[in-house]
C-alpha cells in the first residue's frame, strides 16, 4: 500500500477483515489505535485470504477473500490525511464469483506458466478443484477417490497441485492433466463416464504418510529445485517435488501450524512449528535450533518485515490474539542520530584500560564479585520442633506408621523489601522424606513474615548419611536480579534411632581420643539413657529403626570413647553426633581448646568392601538393562510377525508365535521388576557408602589433624555426587578427583604435575585403581603431604619428611611396591582400637587401656 513494508491481514469466521501495521515505540508495547489500518465487516465467514495479481490488465497486488459460497477480489487503497487522525484506507470490490459448491480452501499461482498474472484454484468440500482465470471461470475437476478435502498447495516449478487425500497419502496432479481431463460439469453420475468425454484424471505421483496432514507448504530454492513440506498430526515430512522423501521428523507433541523458510545455510531449510503446548520451535531440517514459550496456542504463523525490523514472527491464536515477536536479543527500535567522528586518544584509552583491569583484579581478590548490603533483602530461619508429632505423618514408611515418628520443621521468611516469585525448596538426605518440599510465594510485601511447616520422617529401612537438612530460597530483587539464600537445620538423632540394649561384642570398633576428662553420657545423650543414682553412665545402646544396633562406651579412667557396631557404616552417625555434642558441651563450659584425635588404623579394608558392593550393583544394573533391551527388541519382532500373519488374507498357522510372545512378555516384566529392585539396592548401597565415606574422612582428619579447609577438600573429592547415577557414577568421579590431588598438591616431582588427566569419565572395569589411589592418598598424607587448591601450594614442599613421598605408580611393578610400603600402615583391621589389649571388664566399667 505504498510504504513497501509488510502488513498483517486477518480474516475471521465472524466476517471481519482487518489490516494491521504495528509500529511500537519500544519492545513489549501493547496495541495502539493507529495500528489498525482497516476493518470491514463482510457478513459471510472468511475461510482464507490471499494476496496476488488477480485483476486482468494490471500487475498490482489485490486481495482475494474466500467465503463458503463466494470468492471476492478487492483492491486496497489509501488516502493521505491532512488532520491528526492520519491516513484513511478503504477496499473496493473488483469482481466476485458465486460458487455452486461449498468451498474449503484455495491456492493461487501462475498456472500453466502464465506470466504477469495469478490464477486461483478453489477446492470444494466434496473434492472438486475449480480454476478461475481472474474474472472468468475456467474449469472444474473432481479428484479421484476424494472423500474429505485436505490442504492444497501449488508448485510453480513442476506446475502441479499437491494435496493430501483422505487415504492419508500425498498426491500430485499436473495442471496440464487437470486442464485436459473430463469436465466435472459434464461428468455423469455413474461410476464410468461416457467414452470420448475427455481424458481420465491421472495422479502424477503419490506418497503414503500414514496420517492426516494439517498443512502443506512449498519452498523454492531457485528455478532448479523446490521442496514440499507436509505437517502431519505426529510427524513432519520433507519431500522433493517428485515425491521422494528428504527427511521425516517424529514430533513428541501435537503441532498446530508451521512455516518453512529458507535458511542462511546453503541446502537447508528452517521451519517454525507451533504446538498446543504454547511452544514455538525452530528446526533446521530435523535439528532443533530454538524453542520459545508463547502466551497462546498458535494456529497460524508468518515471518515478515515490520517497522524496519526483519524476521518478525507473527502468530495468531484461535481466539484472535495477534502477536508480533522476535528471537534473540532485544533489537534497538530507536535509531540514534549520527555524530561527528573524532580522533581517538590512545593514551587516554590505555590509561582507562589499566584502571579497569585494576578494578577487576581487586574484585577478584575480594570474597565476592557482588557487594553485600548491610541488611539482606530476605532472612530465612528454620526451627525444628523438640517433640515428635502427636500423629505420625509417616504414611508410606516401610517399617510401618506406628514405629516411625515424624518431626515438624518450621521455616520462616522475613522480607525487608518487596519480593516476587520467591520459591522455597527443602532437601534432606534419603531415606528421609518430607511431606512437602516445594513452596511458592508469588509476592511478599516489605516487612512481611511468612512461615511454612512440614514434617520429616524416615521412609527406608536404613540410616541416612546425614541428619542435616537444607532450605534454599530463590527470589528476584526489586531490580530484577535473581538471588539465592539458604538455611541449614539439624534433625534430632531420635528421629532415626531409639534407645537400645548395649552389646558387649561387635565386628567393628573404633576409639576416639580427647584431651579433656571424660563426660558422662547422661549429659551428652539425655534422651537415650535413664537417670541413674550416680549420674555417671558410661555405656549407651542405640537401636536404629532399620534394625541395626550401635554401642557407645566412655572410659572412666582415660579420655577415650569407643563406638562399636555390627555394620561399619552405622558407626558414622553416632561418632559424628558424639563429637558434635562434646564440642557443644565444652563450649558451654567456656573451654575452647577441646580437641579430638584418632590413633588407630584407618579402616580402609572395610571401606573397600562397601565400594566393591556398590560397584557390583552398578554393573549388575547395566547387565539387566542390556538384557531388558534385548527382550524388548525380541518382543517387538514377534509382534510384527504376528501382525503380518493376522493381516494375511489366507490364514496360516501361527507356529507357536503366540506362546513365544507370552513367554517373552513374562520375561520383560520380570526383567523390569529386577531393574527396579536393583535400582533400589543401588540407592541403599550408595547411602551406606556415603556414610562410610564421611566416617573415613572424619577419621583421616582426626588422624592427621587436618584443618577445616583440608577436610573440605577431602569432602569435595570423596563426595562429588548427591545421588548415584548409572551414566556418571561415584567410582569414576572420585577416582578422577583423587588423581588430580595426587598429581597436584600431593605430588612429589614436577613430572607428575605435567601429566594430563583424561577429559572423559567412563565406567571402570573394576575398583582396583580407585582403591590404590585411596591407599596412596592416605600414604602421602601420613608422610607429610598437605591438601591445598592454590597454585602456589601445588609445588612440592621444601621440607622433606622421613621416608619421602612415593610417586604415583605408572606400572604394575611400582604398584606392587607401593602396596608393600603401605601394608604396614593400612592393614586389614576389623577392630580399630589401640594395639594394647583391653582387659576383660564389664561394659559398665568403661574402656581402660
Amino acid at each position: 500500500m505504498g510504504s513497501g513494508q509488510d502488513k498483517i491481514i486477518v480474516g475471521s469466521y465472524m466476517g471481519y477483515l482487518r489490516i494491521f501495521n504495528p509500529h511500537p515505540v519500544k519492545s513489549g508495547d501493547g496495541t495502539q489505535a493507529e495500528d489498525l489500518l482497516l476493518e470491514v465487516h463482510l457478513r459471510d465467514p472468511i475461510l482464507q485470504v490471499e494476496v496476488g495479481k488477480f485483476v486482468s490488465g494490471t500487475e498490482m497486488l489485490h486481495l482475494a477473500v474466500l467465503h463458503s459460497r463466494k470468492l471476492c477480489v478487492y483492491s486496497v487503497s489509501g488516502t493521505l490525511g491532512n488532520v491528526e487522525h492520519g491516513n484513511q484506507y478503504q477496499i473496493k470490490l473488483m469482481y466476485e464469483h458465486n460458487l455452486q459448491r461449498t468451498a474449503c480452501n484455495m491456492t493461487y499461482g501462475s498456472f500453466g506458466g502464465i506470466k504477469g498474472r495469478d490464477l486461483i484454484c478453489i477446492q470444494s468440500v466434496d473434492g472438486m478443484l475449480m480454476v478461475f482465470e481472474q474474472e472468468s471461470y475456467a474449469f472444474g475437476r473432481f479428484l479421484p477417490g476424494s472423500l474429505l478435502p485436505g490442504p492444497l498447495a501449488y508448485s510453480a516449478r513442476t506446475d502441479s497441485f499437491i494435496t493430501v487425500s483422505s487415504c492419508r497419502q500425498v498426491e500430485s496432479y499436473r495442471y496440464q492433466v487437470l486442464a485436459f481431463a473430463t469436465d466435472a460439469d459434464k461428468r455423469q453420475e455413474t461410476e464410468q463416464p461416457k467414452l470420448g468425454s475427455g481424458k481420465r484424471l491421472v495422479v502424477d505421483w503419490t506418497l503414503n504418510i500414514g496420517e492426516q496432514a494439517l498443512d502443506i507448504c512449498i519452498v523454492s530454492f531457485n528455478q532448479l529445485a523446490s521442496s514440499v513440506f507436509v505437517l502431519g498430526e505426529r510427524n513432519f515430512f520433507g519431500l522433493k517435488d517428485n515425491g521422494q522423501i528428504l527427511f521425516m521428523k517424529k514430533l513428541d507433541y501435537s503441532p498446530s501450524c508451521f512455516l518453512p523458510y529458507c535458511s542462511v545455510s546453503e541446502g537447508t531449510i528452517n521451519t517454525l512449528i507451533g504446538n498446543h503446548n504454547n511452544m514455538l520451535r525452530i528446526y533446521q531440517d530435523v535439528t532443533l535450533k530454538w524453542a520459545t514459550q508463547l502466551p497462546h496456542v498458535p494456529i497460524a504463523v508468518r515471518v515478515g518485515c515490520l517497522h524496519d525490523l526483519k524476521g518478525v514472527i507473527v502468530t495468531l491464536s484461535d481466539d484472535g490474539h495477534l502477536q508480533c515477536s522476535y528471537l534473540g536479543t532485544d533489537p534497538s527500535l530507536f535509531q540514534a542520530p549520527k555524530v561527528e567522528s573524532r580522533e581517538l586518544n590512545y593514551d587516554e584509552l590505555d590509561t582507562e584500560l589499566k584502571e579497569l583491569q585494576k578494578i577487576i583484579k581487586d574484585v577478584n581478590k575480594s570474597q565476592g564479585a557482588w557487594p553485600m548490603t548491610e541488611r539482606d533483602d530476605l532472612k530465612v530461619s528454620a526451627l525444628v520442633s523438640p517433640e515428635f508429632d502427636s500423629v505420625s505423618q509417616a504414611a508410606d514408611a516401610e517399617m510401618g506408621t506406628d514405629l516411625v515418628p515424624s518431626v515438624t520443621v518450621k521455616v520462616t521468611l522475613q522480607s525487608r523489601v518487596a519480593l516476587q516469585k520467591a520459591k522455597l525448596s527443602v532437601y534432606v538426605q534419603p531415606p528421609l522424606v518430607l511431606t512437602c518440599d516445594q513452596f511458592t510465594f508469588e509476592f511478599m510485601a516489605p516487612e512481611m513474615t511468612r512461615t511454612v511447616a512440614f514434617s520429616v520422617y524416615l521412609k527406608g529401612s536404613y540410616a541416612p548419611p546425614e541428619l542435616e537438612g537444607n532450605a534454599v530460597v530463590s527470589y528476584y530483587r526489586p531490580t530484577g536480579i535473581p538471588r539465592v539464600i539458604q538455611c541449614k537445620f539439624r534433625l534430632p538423632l531420635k528421629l532415626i534411632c531409639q534407645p537400645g540394649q548395649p552389646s558387649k561384642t561387635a565386628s567393628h570398633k573404633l576409639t576416639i581420643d580427647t584431651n579433656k576428662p571424660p563426660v558422662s553420657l547422661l549429659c551428652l545423650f539425655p534422651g537415650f539413657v535413664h537417670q541413674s543414682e550416680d549420674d555417671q553412665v558410661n555405656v549407651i545402646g542405640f537401636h536404629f529403626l532399620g534394625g541395626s544396633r550401635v554401642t557407645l562406651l566412655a572410659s572412666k579412667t582415660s579420655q577415650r570413647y569407643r563406638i562399636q557396631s555390627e555394620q561399619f557404616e552405622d558407626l558414622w552417625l553416632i561418632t559424628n553426633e558424639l563429637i558434635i555434642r562434646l564440642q557443644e558441651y565444652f563450649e558451654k563450659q567456656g573451654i575452647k581448646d577441646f580437641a579430638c584425635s584418632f590413633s588407630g588404623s584407618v579402616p580402609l579394608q572395610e571401606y573397600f568392601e562397601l565400594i566393591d558392593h556398590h560397584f557390583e550393583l552398578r554393573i549388575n544394573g547395566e547387565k539387566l538393562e542390556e538384557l531388558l533391551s534385548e527382550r524388548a527388541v525380541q518382543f517387538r519382532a514377534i509382534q510384527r510377525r504376528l501382525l503380518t500373519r493376522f493381516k494375511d488374507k489366507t490364514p496360516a498357522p501361527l507356529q507357536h508365535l503366540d506362546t513365544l510372545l507370552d513367554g517373552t512378555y513374562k520375561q520383560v516384566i520380570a526383567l523390569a521388576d529386577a531393574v527396579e529392585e536393583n535400582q533400589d539396592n543401588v540407592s541403599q548401597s550408595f547411602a551406606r557408602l556415603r556414610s562410610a565415606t564421611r566416617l573415613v574422612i572424619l577419621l583421616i582428619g582426626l588422624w592427621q589433624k587436618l584443618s577445616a579447609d583440608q577436610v573440605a577438600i577431602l569432602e569435595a573429592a570423596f563426595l562429588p555426587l548427591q545421588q548415584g547415577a548409572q551414566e556418571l557414577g561415584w567410582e569414576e568421579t572420585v577416582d578422577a578427583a583423587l588423581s588430580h590431588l595426587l598429581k597436584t598438591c600431593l605430588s612429589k616431582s614436577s613430572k607428575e604435575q605435567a601429566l594430563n588427566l583424561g577429559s572423559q569419565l567412563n565406567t571402570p572395569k573394576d575398583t582396583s585403581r580407585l582403591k590404590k589411589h585411596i591407599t596412596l592418598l592416605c600414604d602421602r598424607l601420613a608422610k607429610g603431604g598437605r591438601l591445598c587448591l592454590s597454585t602456589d601450594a601445588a609445588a612440592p614442599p621444601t621440607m622433606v619428611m622421613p621416608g619421602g613421598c612415593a610417586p604415583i605408580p605408572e606400572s604394575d611393578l611400582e604398584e606392587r611396591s607401593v602396596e608393600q610400603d603401605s601394608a604396614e600402615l593400612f592393614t586389614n583391621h576389623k577392630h580399630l582400637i589401640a594395639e594394647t589389649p583391653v582387659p576383660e571388664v564389664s561394659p559398665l566399667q568403661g574402656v581402660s587401656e
Side-chain angles (χ1 to χ4, degrees):
M1 294 185 297
S3 63
Q5 293 187 356
D6 293 337
K7 307 296 187 299
I8 303 174
I9 304 174
V10 180
S12 69
Y13 292 141
M14 302 298 294
Y16 284 95
L17 178 69
R18 297 180 178 91
I19 302 178
F20 295 92
N21 182 25
H23 50 281
V25 179
K26 60 180 180 179
S27 300
D29 285 352
T31 180
Q32 301 177 9
E34 55 268 24
D35 293 344
L36 181 61
L37 301 183
L38 178 66
E39 181 178 20
V40 180
H41 188 207
L42 302 180
R43 298 183 182 179
D44 297 325
I46 299 175
L47 302 182
Q48 191 173 346
V49 291
E50 298 289 351
V51 176
K53 304 172 184 179
F54 302 135
V55 177
S56 60
T58 178
E59 293 190 4
M60 294 184 62
L61 298 178
H62 288 76
L63 181 63
V65 180
L66 179 65
H67 303 284
S68 59
R69 285 282 184 169
K70 185 168 55 175
L71 172 66
C72 301
V73 176
Y74 299 92
S75 66
V76 183
S77 60
T79 304
L80 295 177
N82 297 323
V83 291
E84 57 184 26
H85 60 257
N87 303 334
Q88 296 181 1
Y89 296 89
Q90 58 272 350
I91 63 173
K92 178 182 178 181
L93 179 64
M94 303 302 294
Y95 63 88
E96 68 178 13
H97 293 286
N98 293 318
L99 307 178
Q100 301 299 321
R101 300 178 182 275
T102 304
C104 177
N105 51 27
M106 68 175 176
T107 185
Y108 71 96
S110 300
F111 304 160
I114 302 175
K115 302 296 183 182
R117 58 177 178 164
D118 292 327
L119 278 63
I120 299 177
C121 178
I122 299 177
Q123 182 179 205
S124 65
V125 175
D126 55 356
M128 179 180 177
L129 297 184
M130 297 172 284
V131 179
F132 296 88
E133 293 183 358
Q134 297 183 339
E135 291 87 350
S136 60
Y137 172 72
F139 58 86
R141 301 288 184 266
F142 277 101
L143 297 180
S146 175
L147 179 62
L148 294 174
L152 181 66
Y154 173 72
S155 175
R157 202 187 80 84
T158 59
D159 192 26
S160 57
F161 297 97
I162 299 175
T163 184
V164 177
S165 67
S166 54
C167 298
R168 297 184 175 182
Q169 61 183 8
V170 184
E171 299 178 351
S172 174
Y173 297 92
R174 291 190 177 273
Y175 177 75
Q176 296 296 335
V177 177
L178 287 171
F180 291 104
T182 304
D183 195 342
D185 297 332
K186 299 179 181 179
R187 196 179 79 171
Q188 302 297 320
E189 296 298 330
T190 59
E191 294 183 0
Q192 295 293 335
K194 292 183 178 180
L195 297 176
S197 60
K199 295 183 178 180
R200 188 169 61 92
L201 182 58
V202 179
V203 64
D204 186 23
W205 55 262
T206 62
L207 177 67
N208 193 344
I209 60 174
E211 59 182 323
Q212 190 59 39
L214 302 180
D215 198 1
I216 294 178
C217 189
I218 299 174
V219 177
S220 298
F221 294 103
N222 46 50
Q223 297 294 330
L224 301 177
S226 63
S227 299
V228 181
F229 296 92
V230 182
L231 181 65
E233 296 174 335
R234 284 296 176 185
N235 296 279
F236 171 51
F237 301 90
L239 316 175
K240 294 182 180 180
D241 52 15
N242 60 359
Q244 295 181 0
I245 293 183
L246 289 174
F247 60 81
M248 184 186 77
K249 173 68 177 179
K250 184 174 179 59
L251 306 177
D252 55 354
Y253 49 82
S254 178
S256 59
C257 61
F258 86 133
L259 176 67
Y261 60 96
C262 293
S263 172
V264 293
S265 301
E266 185 177 356
T268 61
I269 287 289
N270 286 358
T271 307
L272 300 171
I273 300 182
N275 59 34
H276 290 278
N277 297 329
N278 297 6
M279 292 290 294
L280 184 67
R281 298 169 183 260
I282 294 89
Y283 293 87
Q284 187 176 45
D285 288 345
V286 295
T287 305
L288 180 64
K289 293 295 185 180
W290 196 287
T292 184
Q293 188 79 27
L294 294 177
H296 57 260
V297 177
I299 61 170
V301 58
R302 293 293 183 269
V303 177
C305 176
L306 300 176
H307 195 60
D308 296 330
L309 182 62
K310 297 180 180 180
V312 175
I313 300 175
V314 183
T315 55
L316 178 67
S317 67
D318 56 355
D319 58 355
H321 185 90
L322 186 67
Q323 175 175 301
C324 300
S325 50
Y326 52 87
L327 301 177
T329 57
D330 292 340
S332 177
L333 300 178
F334 171 74
Q335 295 181 355
K338 295 183 179 179
V339 297
E340 296 181 359
S341 60
R342 59 179 180 178
E343 296 183 358
L344 298 177
N345 190 334
Y346 292 99
D347 295 335
E348 294 181 358
L349 292 177
D350 190 36
T351 304
E352 184 181 359
L353 178 61
K354 290 181 180 179
E355 292 178 356
L356 293 176
Q357 289 177 344
K358 184 177 182 301
I359 294 175
I360 295 174
K361 187 176 181 181
D362 295 339
V363 170
N364 291 334
K365 287 184 178 180
S366 61
Q367 294 183 354
W370 295 100
M372 299 299 294
T373 56
E374 295 181 0
R375 295 181 60 189
D376 292 332
D377 299 332
L378 182 68
K379 290 185 178 180
V380 183
S381 59
L383 177 63
V384 181
S385 175
E387 301 294 335
F388 288 148
D389 298 338
S390 57
V391 178
S392 177
Q393 302 297 318
D396 55 349
E398 297 179 1
M399 289 82 69
T401 308
D402 300 335
L403 301 177
V404 180
S406 64
V407 66
T408 300
V409 181
K410 295 182 179 180
V411 179
T412 303
L413 283 70
Q414 297 177 348
S415 62
R416 185 174 61 87
V417 297
L419 302 177
Q420 293 182 353
K421 298 180 180 179
K423 294 183 180 180
L424 169 64
S425 302
V426 188
Y427 178 78
V428 293
Q429 292 286 343
L432 292 173
V433 293
L434 306 165
T435 54
C436 183
D437 58 352
Q438 298 285 340
F439 302 90
T440 303
F441 309 94
E442 292 296 334
F443 178 76
M444 293 187 65
E447 306 301 333
M448 176 183 284
T449 301
R450 300 288 297 272
T451 302
V452 296
F454 51 88
S455 297
V456 187
Y457 60 92
L458 186 69
K459 183 178 180 180
S461 59
Y462 55 96
E466 288 184 39
L467 289 176
E468 192 175 70
N470 195 12
V472 181
V473 181
S474 60
Y475 63 94
Y476 286 89
R477 300 187 64 184
T479 56
I481 301 176
R483 294 288 299 273
V484 176
I485 188 172
Q486 64 177 351
C487 172
K488 294 185 178 182
F489 57 90
R490 185 166 184 82
L491 298 172
L493 181 63
K494 59 182 180 179
L495 183 65
I496 62 169
C497 68
Q498 302 172 349
Q501 187 67 26
S503 177
K504 296 183 180 180
T505 59
S507 301
H508 304 276
K509 305 176 183 178
L510 61 87
T511 302
I512 302 298
D513 299 330
T514 63
N515 59 351
K516 299 298 177 184
V519 183
S520 172
L521 298 183
L522 178 63
C523 300
L524 297 178
F525 298 91
F528 291 87
V529 293
H530 299 289
Q531 189 76 21
S532 60
E533 297 180 357
D534 55 356
D535 293 339
Q536 292 294 326
V537 178
N538 67 331
V539 62
I540 296 180
F542 299 91
H543 182 201
F544 286 98
L545 298 182
S548 58
R549 298 178 182 271
V550 179
T551 303
L552 172 62
L553 300 94
S555 174
K556 292 184 177 180
T557 57
S558 61
Q559 304 169 355
R560 294 184 175 184
Y561 301 86
R562 176 187 293 174
I563 307 96
Q564 56 189 25
S565 174
E566 293 296 332
Q567 302 292 333
F568 172 68
E569 62 274 8
D570 292 336
L571 299 174
W572 153 246
L573 282 178
I574 304 302
T575 305
N576 186 52
E577 195 74 20
L578 171 66
I579 295 176
I580 292 176
R581 299 196 180 196
L582 283 174
Q583 292 174 347
E584 293 177 350
Y585 174 82
F586 285 107
E587 284 180 0
K588 292 180 181 179
Q589 301 294 329
I591 301 175
K592 298 182 179 180
D593 59 344
F594 170 76
C596 298
S597 60
F598 177 71
S599 58
S601 302
V602 180
L604 292 185
Q605 189 61 36
E606 293 83 351
Y607 183 47
F608 291 161
E609 292 177 0
L610 290 173
I611 293 177
D612 292 336
H613 178 64
H614 176 260
F615 184 74
E616 181 181 352
L617 290 175
R618 281 187 59 196
I619 299 300
N620 187 35
E622 292 180 358
K623 294 179 180 178
L624 287 175
E625 290 181 358
E626 292 179 0
L627 193 58
L628 178 61
S629 177
E630 293 176 0
R631 291 296 179 268
V633 172
Q634 176 180 324
F635 185 74
R636 290 191 293 268
I638 299 173
Q639 281 183 321
R640 287 193 296 268
R641 297 286 293 273
L642 275 175
L643 187 61
T644 304
R645 295 289 178 92
F646 291 148
K647 283 185 176 181
D648 196 354
K649 295 181 179 179
T650 58
L654 296 180
Q655 296 179 349
H656 301 289
L657 282 176
D658 53 343
T659 306
L660 186 59
L661 181 69
D662 182 65
T664 307
Y665 174 75
K666 292 180 180 180
Q667 290 183 358
V668 169
I669 296 300
L671 285 172
D673 295 339
V675 169
E676 290 184 356
E677 181 182 358
N678 187 80
Q679 289 175 350
D680 295 339
N681 294 334
V682 170
S683 300
Q684 180 173 346
S685 176
F686 186 70
R688 298 181 185 276
L689 180 60
R690 283 178 59 87
S691 299
T693 302
R694 290 198 170 274
L695 178 61
V696 170
I697 294 174
L698 174 65
L699 296 181
I700 291 177
L702 298 178
W703 172 46
Q704 289 298 321
K705 297 180 175 56
L706 301 180
S707 63
D709 293 339
Q710 291 177 311
V711 173
I713 294 175
L714 278 182
E715 291 179 351
F718 277 93
L719 299 170
L721 304 176
Q722 289 292 332
Q723 296 180 351
Q726 192 70 25
E727 294 80 10
L728 181 62
W730 180 87
E731 287 80 5
E732 55 265 30
T733 310
V734 173
D735 184 53
L738 295 183
S739 300
H740 176 73
L741 292 178
L742 292 173
K743 294 176 181 179
T744 54
C745 57
L746 294 180
S747 63
K748 181 180 179 182
S749 61
S750 58
K751 178 181 178 181
E752 294 181 1
Q753 297 182 19
L755 296 175
N756 295 325
L757 298 176
S759 59
Q760 187 175 3
L761 296 180
N762 297 320
T763 304
K765 296 181 180 180
D766 51 36
T767 59
S768 59
R769 176 183 171 87
L770 173 61
K771 292 188 288 188
K772 291 173 184 177
H773 282 170
I774 295 175
T775 305
L776 192 56
L777 174 74
C778 297
D779 190 20
R780 296 281 177 89
L781 290 176
K783 294 180 180 179
R786 61 192 183 99
L787 297 170
C788 186
L789 296 181
S790 62
T791 55
D792 297 337
T798 55
M799 182 179 64
V800 179
M801 300 301 293
C805 293
I808 299 177
E810 300 296 337
S811 64
D812 295 339
L813 295 177
E814 285 191 77
E815 290 174 354
R816 294 194 192 99
S817 64
V818 171
E819 291 176 356
Q820 294 174 1
D821 295 339
S822 305
E824 299 178 359
L825 185 62
F826 310 106
T827 55
N828 184 4
H829 287 289
K830 288 290 182 180
H831 303 277
L832 310 177
I833 55 176
E835 295 181 358
T836 307
V838 181
E840 294 292 336
V841 293
S842 171
L844 299 178
Q845 296 179 1
V847 180
S848 59
E849 297 290 325

